[in-house]
Amino acid sequence: MAKNMGVAGAAASSELNVEKAVNALLKWRDSQSQAQKPQLLEQDEFLYLIVSLKKIPQKARVNPIKVPLPHPIIDDPAELCLFIDDRSKSGITKDAASKKIKSENIPINKVIKLSKLKTDYKPFEAKRKLCDSYDMFFADKRMIPLLPRLLGKQFFKKKKIPVPVDLKHNNWKEQIHNACSSAMLFLSSGTCCVVKVAKLSLEKKEIVENVIAAINGIAERVPSKWGNIRSFHLKLLDSLALPLFQAMPDMRLKILADADHHTSSKEEKQEVEEEEDDASHQKTKKKKKNKGRIHDVQYMDNQEHINYSNSEADRKHEINANISTKKKKTALKKLCPIDIKVKDKKKKKSLAA
């Protein structure tokens, strides 16, 4: 499987495909430069290779993977800086390191001790100036774990993480030359990596050779090799990414995905049916409860109506009774003086008699 992927990857990233992508990017760059205003200082632009992996690396590497290139992307009179470990266990001093650099003509412009890095380059502005002052940084292999805390995030943003050098060996010049002529692959905690593979000051043929060498070198150094490569894209800093290689989807994953989808669809149907049954059961319960409540309400309303009608009849009876008593009293009042007169007349007659 890996061999077939390797053959497919090599065919997809052939020289013709890379040439087409490089020509398209150079044409786009020429059209953009004509539209833009001319600058006083010409800046050399780089071509970037975007690597997409199928699986996330198990361990994120702080140290970059060196991918050899036929044509170096760092200028020959480049500004290089070396960090040395001046602790007592290391056995290296700044004077001894500078003497060796001069005697062997090693292209190192600045040597900085670990103790000086801790004290003089503590402020953020000092770290930023140090990062912008040199093209590439090297460091003693024994002090690499201390550098992320001392250098800060500015070095990581600009991909200027110091390259480890084994200063115990005497081949300093060879190690620095190999690092300068290599592309640096930083495997982070994700599946996407960006690598500088060429600069525009090179010729087209040299750019194509660098891109092909970077593709083959990265595929050989990544875990699982071509089996873990999903795609390669080539781009400039502000341009679109042009595809160079795209891996075919794994059929096993597709079958598993279909099976998972089928089982999940069945489970979803069962869940929906159960939810519908529960909802219908709850509705019937609510209807029964509502019927009882409505019946109670109707019964209460009828009783209130009956009570209300009875109270109204009692009130009418009381009113009629009151009216009749009042009429009787008025009638008695009217009859009283008449009876008195009649009685007086009778008395007078009896007396007269």
Side-chain angles (χ1 to χ4, degrees), residues 62-63 87 139-150 164:
V62 178
N63 301 332
R87 292 177 291 183
D140 192 350
K141 191 177 180 180
R142 292 165 288 186
M143 62 180 290
I144 288 293
L146 304 174
L147 291 178
R149 182 173 58 84
L150 297 174

Side-chain angles (χ1 to χ4, degrees), residues 328-346:
K328 284 179 181 179
K329 286 179 180 180
T330 53
L332 288 170
K333 286 179 182 179
K334 289 178 180 179
L335 290 170
C336 283
I338 296 166
D339 292 338
I340 292 166
K341 288 178 179 180
V342 170
K343 285 179 180 181
D344 290 341
K345 286 179 178 180
K346 284 181 179 181

Side-chain angles (χ1 to χ4, degrees), residues 162-343:
V163 180
V165 178
D166 192 358
L167 298 181
K168 290 182 180 180
H169 296 284
N170 294 323
N171 59 344
W172 291 14
K173 188 173 184 179
E174 184 180 354
Q175 293 183 54
I176 291 168
H177 178 72
N178 291 336
C180 290
S181 59
S182 300
M184 299 297 165
L185 173 64
F186 295 91
L187 286 179
S188 60
S189 58
T191 58
C192 187
C193 311
V194 181
V195 187
K196 289 181 184 178
V197 292
K199 54 184 179 180
L200 292 181
S201 59
L202 297 174
E203 296 181 359
K204 286 184 183 179
K205 188 177 180 180
E206 293 175 346
I207 292 172
V208 171
E209 289 175 358
N210 270 18
V211 174
I212 293 172
I215 289 171
N216 295 327
I218 290 168
E220 289 297 322
R221 285 164 176 77
V222 164
S224 301
K225 298 185 178 181
W226 278 103
N228 196 22
I229 299 293
R230 186 179 297 278
S231 64
F232 283 114
H233 290 77
L234 190 67
K235 74 184 290 288
L236 290 170
L237 185 63
D238 299 324
S239 71
L240 295 173
L242 302 180
L244 300 177
F245 166 73
Q246 183 69 43
M248 296 294 291
D250 196 351
M251 295 303 294
R252 290 179 300 171
L253 295 175
K254 189 176 181 182
I255 291 165
L256 288 171
D258 291 338
D260 293 338
H261 181 69
H262 186 64
T263 55
S264 64
S265 63
K266 283 184 178 179
E267 290 175 357
E268 286 177 358
K269 285 181 180 178
Q270 290 178 359
E271 289 178 357
V272 169
E273 288 177 357
E274 289 176 359
E275 288 177 357
E276 287 178 353
D277 293 337
D278 294 336
S280 62
H281 186 62
Q282 288 177 1
K283 282 181 180 178
T284 53
K285 283 184 177 180
K286 285 182 180 179
K287 283 181 180 179
K288 288 180 181 179
K289 289 181 181 179
N290 291 334
K291 281 181 180 178
R293 287 177 185 172
I294 291 165
H295 180 69
D296 294 340
V297 170
Q298 287 177 355
Y299 177 75
M300 290 169 69
D301 290 343
N302 292 329
Q303 187 67 30
E304 286 179 357
H305 182 69
I306 292 162
N307 293 332
Y308 181 72
S309 61
N310 292 331
S311 61
E312 280 188 349
D314 294 337
R315 285 176 187 173
K316 286 180 181 180
H317 183 68
E318 288 177 0
I319 291 165
N320 293 327
N322 292 329
I323 291 166
S324 61
T325 53
K326 285 180 180 179
K327 285 180 178 180
K328 284 179 181 179
K329 286 179 180 180
T330 53
L332 288 170
K333 286 179 182 179
K334 289 178 180 179
L335 290 170
C336 283
I338 296 166
D339 292 338
I340 292 166
K341 288 178 179 180
V342 170
K343 285 179 180 181

